[in-house]
Amino acid sequence: MKNEGSDVLIIGAGMVGLSLAHQLLEKNPNLSITIIEKEFQIGKHSSGRNSGVLHAGVYYEPSTLKARVCVDGAKRLKDWCQEQNIEILKCGKVITPQTKELDPGLDILLKRGQQNGAVVSIINNDEFKSLVPDGFSSTGRALWSPGTCVVKPIKVIQKLAGLLEKRGVKIRLGVKVLEFNVKARSVSMIEVNSANSNVVETYDYNHLFNCAGCQADRVAHNFGIGKDFIILPFKGIYWKLNPESNFKFKTNLYPVPDLNVPFLGVHVTPAPDGTVSLGPTAIPAWGRENYKGLEKIEPMMAIGFLGDIARQWVANKNGFRRYAREQAFNGIKPIFLKSAQELVPKLRDRDLIPSEKVGIRAQLFNRKSGKLIQDFLLEDGESSTHILNAISPAFTASFALADLIIEKSSLNI
Ligand SMILES: Cc1cc2nc3c(=O)[nH]c(=O)nc-3n(C[C@H](O)[C@H](O)[C@H](O)COP(=O)(O)OP(=O)(O)OC[C@H]3O[C@@H](n4cnc5c(N)ncnc54)[C@H](O)[C@@H]3O)c2cc1C
């Protein structure tokens, strides 16, 4: 079956694919855009499963793409949520050094935040205690980011998808791409829910954007792009604060992170609905969609991942051993509790109750250099653009990131 095709074909209806469609329409309302999503609902992966924190732009070195888009993107997403009546918790964020050795990290973050245009300041112990009475700072100092907000991510993407459909974007759910015919600029795809699984549809495009999140490397490899890179899935498990516990958190509480690895560490996040989550972990997942137990385990991927981890351990590049010691085993509750107690010492086992929320980070790894990639990576190919490593803060930065993707792509609009 041959379809009429469209100017732009986007693979993946996560926040990156949806905001890209939004910005393409802003630039050219006449473009025909189709988004293909293999799941039956949107938000089944990272964009519906993250902390919902709209980051202020504190962490990133000023030369990075993350720094370039985070502050602007956060402002635009906040404004957009307000216009759409999506609830935003304007609660700010405190970053605290859990040990004395981490205290100089506050000054690095202060400088980076200021260079990136974020509002940040160092606060003293009294100010810290008034913001987070149960929090711990090893030196009494902390970093305060008043502009950090929290949203419910699923509400954001559902609203955005609905608006795009009203503006004529076709969002096709439950459709999976089987083959890419790069020269002919067409894909062969199959309806996942089709009773007749032989029904294959060919779909033409002028330009394809690969926004496939955890699968983006596999899609890119079909175009001969990003062959040195592979996505390693890191699982983020959350716990919920027991509503019966006596703790009250009115702001986000984050540790000073290990700036050598792309994970921010276990944090405390209040949500607009009044719940408080603790997490996420950053433990190796044994499949890109292995959210629970043995579900969707990919044995070959897991073996490769173990090999990559072993090599990282031996080489200890980017202080990998510190990550392994401090974060790799956080999936076990007592170990997780110990991490959380570095922020909130009085926290006890009974204060943490299981949360159904779990996400998987699509973390890019360069097999040649043996390094985890910290920044976003955008690769342009023949009539196609590939968004690799759309890790945090891609949700926050999405509108500004979409503009950057369009600017760097060979698409003529
Ligand atoms: C635990 C966790 C916490 C996070 N916290 C934050 C935070 O607080 N703030 C923040 O800014 N960011 C956060 N992030 C990062 C943020 O969630 C991601 O950067 C963002 O959601 C990436 O969006 P995406 O569209 O690239 O990916 P996704 O949301 O994963 O979307 C990709 C989509 O592509 C689809 N797809 C894949 N392959 C195919 C195919 N072949 N055919 C059709 N469809 C396909 C998938 O089904 C999926 O729906 C967090 C991430 C995690 C995992």
Side-chain angles (χ1 to χ4, degrees):
M1 201 167 95
K2 182 104 174 153
N3 203 294
E4 76 277 15
S6 54
D7 297 327
V8 170
L9 182 66
I10 297 175
I11 299 186
M15 191 58 183
V16 174
L18 294 171
S19 54
L20 180 61
H22 183 271
Q23 289 312 109
L24 283 166
L25 279 187
E26 291 295 301
K27 292 178 201 309
N28 181 353
N30 298 320
L31 274 183
S32 59
I33 302 175
T34 298
I35 306 180
I36 297 175
E37 169 55 60
K38 67 181 171 60
E39 304 293 346
F40 297 109
Q41 292 157 355
I42 60 162
K44 293 293 273 182
H45 300 292
S46 289
S47 301
R49 295 169 169 271
N50 62 51
S51 303
V53 176
L54 303 191
H55 291 291
V58 175
Y59 297 104
Y60 324 111
E61 281 188 65
S63 59
T64 60
L65 296 179
K66 286 184 177 181
R68 201 167 137 191
V69 292
C70 187
V71 176
D72 179 36
K75 184 182 175 317
R76 285 163 64 180
L77 187 53
K78 263 186 253 175
D79 291 347
W80 185 86
C81 287
Q82 257 152 359
E83 276 164 31
Q84 303 301 330
N85 291 321
I86 294 172
E87 217 180 335
I88 307 179
L89 188 67
K90 294 181 181 169
C91 57
K93 179 202 279 191
V94 172
I95 303 177
T96 173
Q98 324 83 292
T99 61
K100 287 202 167 68
E101 296 70 48
L102 290 170
D103 184 82
L106 290 177
D107 299 311
I108 296 174
L109 295 179
L110 176 74
K111 197 165 167 212
R112 284 188 185 177
Q114 286 168 338
Q115 285 173 319
N116 295 342
V119 178
V120 274
S121 60
I122 298 285
I123 53 174
N124 62 29
N125 198 38
D126 290 344
E127 292 165 311
F128 175 68
K129 283 290 170 195
S130 77
L131 285 163
V132 230
D134 297 304
F136 172 74
S137 161
S138 60
T139 57
R141 294 198 322 149
L143 191 91
W144 171 230
S145 153
T148 302
C149 298
V150 186
V151 293
K152 200 113 183 126
I154 191 76
K155 289 198 176 165
V156 175
I157 53 170
Q158 280 172 347
K159 187 75 175 196
L160 186 52
L163 289 179
L164 289 172
E165 283 184 314
K166 280 192 192 141
R167 291 177 73 180
V169 174
K170 283 189 213 143
I171 303 180
R172 300 203 40 196
L173 300 177
V175 173
K176 197 170 180 177
V177 176
L178 293 180
E179 276 169 25
F180 297 84
N181 191 339
V182 179
K183 285 268 169 289
R185 282 184 284 171
S186 75
V187 293
S188 303
M189 50 204 207
I190 192 160
E191 281 197 26
V192 183
N193 63 346
S194 169
N196 176 2
S197 56
N198 295 320
V199 178
V200 175
E201 188 185 315
T202 305
Y203 203 89
D204 295 338
Y205 58 83
N206 284 330
H207 198 93
L208 177 145
F209 286 97
N210 164 12
C211 306
C214 244
Q215 312 287 345
D217 57 335
R218 288 175 175 161
V219 172
H221 294 170
N222 285 288
F223 290 76
I225 285 182
K227 292 271 190 180
D228 290 340
F229 297 98
I230 183 165
I231 282 172
L232 298 182
F234 285 88
K235 194 182 286 192
I237 298 170
Y238 292 84
W239 292 85
K240 266 197 304 209
L241 187 70
N242 189 338
E244 286 171 16
S245 80
N246 291 323
F247 298 104
K248 297 271 173 287
F249 292 99
K250 55 183 180 193
T251 182
N252 285 288
L253 180 62
Y254 275 64
V256 169
D258 177 351
L259 295 172
N260 292 308
V261 293
F263 313 122
L264 299 181
V266 166
H267 46 262
V268 183
T269 299
D273 62 7
T275 57
V276 174
S277 59
L278 291 98
T281 59
I283 56 176
W286 305 127
R288 294 170 189 226
E289 297 176 7
N290 164 229
Y291 294 107
K292 232 175 39 193
L294 301 178
E295 200 182 274
K296 293 206 178 175
I297 277 200
E298 299 175 54
M300 292 315 288
M301 190 231 82
I303 291 167
F305 196 172
L306 276 176
D308 290 329
I309 287 181
R311 274 190 293 280
Q312 288 269 308
W313 176 269
V314 173
N316 196 24
K317 277 191 185 145
N318 300 343
F320 186 81
R321 283 183 209 165
R322 184 179 155 199
Y323 151 75
R325 267 196 314 273
E326 294 177 4
Q327 299 196 53
F329 301 102
N330 268 350
I332 301 161
K333 192 180 180 189
I335 299 180
F336 178 87
L337 180 63
K338 230 170 131 225
S339 277
Q341 282 170 333
E342 289 181 7
L343 296 175
V344 186
K346 287 190 205 141
L347 208 63
R348 295 291 172 264
D349 183 86
R350 61 177 178 273
D351 297 315
L352 300 180
I353 56 173
S355 162
E356 63 293 346
K357 192 156 99 171
V358 47
I360 292 186
R361 296 173 185 80
Q363 175 57 54
L364 202 66
F365 177 68
N366 185 329
R367 284 212 140 139
K368 254 193 178 160
S369 67
K371 282 189 177 161
L372 295 173
I373 305 302
Q374 300 255 12
D375 204 2
F376 302 141
L377 186 69
L378 314 177
E379 296 275 350
D380 205 39
E382 209 184 311
S383 306
S384 66
T385 309
H386 304 261
I387 297 85
L388 299 164
N389 216 31
I391 45 172
S392 182
F395 185 86
T396 302
S398 48
F399 287 130
L401 175 61
D403 284 345
L404 185 72
I405 295 167
I406 297 167
E407 181 194 313
K408 291 209 173 256
S409 82
S410 48
L411 173 69
N412 219 339
I413 48 172

